């Protein structure tokens, strides 16, 4: 689907709200939110506005945004935290509760609908990560505004990312970068807790500089 204003086509796989429940919609309407190609932009806008009250205020809903629990088949062993994609973080129930007990802010884990063949499968939660924060202008001097029609903006990740201190949230220790949704940002508090609890088994952290105005 191409936007009639900015002409960008395609969508994102890095924006998901697993807590959003669409079961109140008729089955035929629910199917319209499955992964597919919508050719009618007017219909896309209708579907987008229909679910907007169900997500946090001000959240962009780009084409490709997913709603509801993660489905699919799962196998193998899962550590405390697992990335199934660079932008999709799963966490086992006990580590999630221990991180919450550490006082980390804004953590939201949602049950998945993954299917395991083995007995006693782990209870995996998908982290719902809201978009917050931006790149600093020193690493991204040209920052296009979001399209007023489809809400997307065409950004490339800088080779050496720098975060804008003024844009970072004070109520979230784990979030997506609003300017680049496939990048998950963790605060120093989150990283320290994960390392102290020995949960850094299947993930790796990269320190990013933060710069003020």
């Amino acid at each position: 689907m191409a936007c009639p204003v900015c002409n960008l086509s395609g969508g994102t796989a890095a924006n998901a709200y697993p807590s959003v429940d669409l079961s109140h919609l008729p089955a035929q309407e629910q199917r319209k939110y499955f992964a597919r190609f919508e050719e009618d932009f007017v219909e896309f806008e209708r579907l987008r506005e229909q679910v907007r009250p169900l997500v946090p205020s001000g959240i962009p809903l780009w084409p490709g945004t997913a709603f509801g629990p993660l489905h699919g088949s799962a196998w193998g062993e899962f550590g405390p935290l697992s990335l199934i994609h660079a932008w999709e973080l799963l966490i086992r129930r006990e580590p999630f509760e221990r991180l919450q007990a550490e006082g980390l802010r804004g953590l939201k884990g949602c049950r998945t609908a993954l299917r395991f063949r083995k007995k006693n499968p782990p209870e995996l939660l998908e982290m719902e990560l809201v978009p917050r924060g931006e790149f600093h202008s020193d690493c991204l001097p040209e920052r296009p505004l979001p399209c007023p029609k489809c809400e997307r903006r065409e950004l490339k990740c800088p080779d050496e990312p720098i975060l804008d201190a003024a844009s970072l949230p004070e109520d979230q220790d784990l979030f997506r970068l609003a300017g680049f949704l496939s990048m998950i940002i963790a605060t120093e508090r989150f990283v320290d807790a994960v390392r102290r609890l020995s949960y850094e088994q299947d993930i790796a952290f990269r320190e990013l500089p933060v710069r003020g105005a």
Side-chain angles (χ1 to χ4, degrees), residues 119-171:
K119 295 181 179 179
N120 302 317
E123 184 179 0
L124 296 176
L125 306 176
E126 181 181 5
M127 297 302 296
E128 184 166 285
L129 306 173
V130 295
R132 295 285 188 269
E134 297 284 353
F135 290 124
H136 193 275
S137 58
D138 286 354
C139 71
L140 195 70
E142 296 184 6
R143 191 191 306 270
L145 294 174
C147 172
K149 192 74 171 174
C150 70
E151 303 182 358
R152 289 176 292 188
R153 52 181 172 172
E154 196 169 16
L155 290 181
K156 292 184 178 180
C157 184
D159 293 334
E160 298 296 333
I162 303 171
L163 301 181
D164 181 1
S167 72
L168 299 179
E170 297 182 353
D171 59 346

Side-chain angles (χ1 to χ4, degrees), residues 61 105 133 207:
L61 295 176
R105 301 161 297 185
E207 186 173 358

